Amino acid sequence: MTITDFKALHQRRQAEHLARHGHWLAARQEDSFDLTLYAVEGFYAETWRSRGEADILFIHVFQKPAGLGDYLRLVQLPGNL
């Protein structure tokens, strides 16, 4: 799936796609939010939740490595890479 196709999905479908095809990379907290970073088929997706809540508020999608800046110290690559 391309980033354009992913962005066209309803947020619920985006979350389902992340659960099935996303590779968890890292998690962090910012202000009162829990953020989780996934690698997905050539792009990255960052879920935002209110701290301690299960529901996703929004999903930020990007391709440029500059968006990874806040995560670089947290990223855990799989052992087979």
Side-chain angles (χ1 to χ4, degrees), residues 22-27 36-39 74 76:
H23 298 282
W24 182 92
L25 296 178
T36 306
L37 179 67
Y38 298 89
L74 304 171
Q76 298 174 13

Side-chain angles (χ1 to χ4, degrees), residues 3 14-15 17-18 22 41 43-44 47 49 54 65-66:
I3 190 171
Q14 289 177 345
H17 190 78
L18 288 177
E41 303 160 18
F43 59 92
Y44 301 98
T47 60
R49 293 179 168 89

Side-chain angles (χ1 to χ4, degrees), residues 9-81:
L9 295 174
H10 184 278
Q11 182 173 294
R12 187 186 73 222
R13 296 281 185 217
Q14 289 177 345
E16 290 171 358
H17 190 78
L18 288 177
R20 289 189 188 120
H21 304 286
H23 298 282
W24 182 92
L25 296 178
R28 66 185 183 93
Q29 294 181 335
E30 184 173 313
D31 298 326
S32 62
F33 301 102
D34 291 326
L35 288 71
T36 306
L37 179 67
Y38 298 89
V40 191
E41 303 160 18
F43 59 92
Y44 301 98
E46 180 182 61
T47 60
W48 286 66
R49 293 179 168 89
S50 290
R51 186 157 304 143
E53 298 293 325
D55 293 336
I56 295 172
L57 296 172
F58 66 92
I59 299 174
H60 174 232
V61 183
F62 61 96
Q63 286 182 301
K64 296 187 186 289
L68 299 172
D70 292 328
Y71 288 98
L72 289 180
R73 62 182 172 77
L74 304 171
V75 172
Q76 298 174 13
L77 297 174
N80 61 351
L81 291 180

